[in-house]
Amino acid sequence: MRLIDRFLPHHQFAEEHSRFIPASPARVLDVLGRPDVVDDPIARSLIALREMPNRLAGRLGFASNLRHRPAFGIANFTFLGRDGQHELAYGLAGRFWQSDYGLVEVHDAAAFDALDSAGIAKLVLNFTAEPEGAGARLTTRTRVWCGDDEVLRRFRLYWLLIRPASGLIRRRLLKRAHDAAL
């Protein structure tokens, strides 16, 4: 069973992107842990744009939950596990539509698994590397489960707004993994 299926067997939202990489599956998954692969300037710019109103409010003396926090990134995700040379999975929980993401702190895979999803959305992001020809097919999937009708309503609008940027970030990540694995 895939890690994404274990940690999020049901979902209302999903996104998937893939790319062939002429390297072994193990090599492909290994490069995903490198900062030069996950730290993309376009992704940073999109995140800065999303966070700008909250951060600007803080600079002007208004309430800001992001004032003393670093920009959102892979460090906010909980590592859920690695299945050998096949899959990596990360989890995130919160009220993502809020200006500060409404993140719920989750320390490890067991805590993510046990987390009650009422009032929040749970997200699993995975990467699979399947052998294909003289390399591997790297696929990234994002799935989201909304814990109740109110969360579903709020997340649906947020998803419509961020999905294009999310897809761009995922496709750029696949390209960066491709270039790093060569």
Side-chain angles (χ1 to χ4, degrees):
M1 172 185 283
R2 287 186 181 165
L3 294 170
I4 197 169
D5 295 325
R6 177 177 164 232
F7 287 102
L8 207 60
H10 306 288
H11 57 279
Q12 296 110 334
F13 302 91
E15 182 175 7
E16 180 176 316
H17 303 278
S18 72
R19 181 179 187 133
F20 173 78
I21 300 177
S24 72
R27 170 91 177 126
V28 169
L29 288 184
D30 287 345
V31 302
L32 289 169
R34 292 178 25 188
D36 63 309
V37 173
V38 296
D39 184 27
D40 177 38
I42 299 295
R44 270 188 279 121
S45 296
L46 291 170
I47 289 167
L49 184 63
R50 184 205 185 282
E51 293 179 353
M52 188 184 333
N54 192 310
R55 293 193 184 278
L56 182 59
R59 286 189 201 104
L60 296 174
F62 297 99
S64 170
N65 295 332
L66 295 178
R67 188 172 189 169
H68 300 292
R69 286 182 14 201
F72 181 83
I74 194 70
N76 294 102
F77 287 77
T78 301
F79 179 68
L80 299 178
R82 178 171 176 160
D83 180 9
Q85 61 181 350
H86 177 70
E87 182 185 15
L88 291 169
Y90 299 88
L92 191 67
R95 294 166 193 86
F96 310 132
W97 56 90
Q98 293 181 356
S99 66
D100 68 349
Y101 306 98
L103 297 179
V104 173
E105 193 169 329
V106 181
H107 295 288
D108 58 25
F112 185 85
D113 203 26
L115 185 63
D116 179 4
S117 62
I120 62 168
K122 288 176 79 173
L123 178 151
V124 174
L125 165 68
N126 87 332
F127 298 91
T128 56
E130 299 286 342
E132 182 179 298
R137 169 71 48 187
L138 177 61
T139 303
T140 178
R141 293 173 187 85
T142 303
R143 293 182 182 171
V144 179
W145 170 256
C146 297
D148 56 50
D149 289 341
E150 178 64 16
V151 170
L152 182 61
R153 185 183 66 74
R154 290 176 177 264
F155 186 81
R156 183 175 286 123
L157 177 59
Y158 177 70
W159 183 255
L160 289 172
L161 294 172
I162 62 98
R163 189 166 184 198
S166 174
L168 175 64
I169 290 169
R170 300 299 187 276
R171 288 187 302 277
R172 287 185 56 84
L173 181 58
L174 292 173
K175 168 130 178 40
R176 293 171 73 82
H178 172 274
D179 295 349
L182 299 181

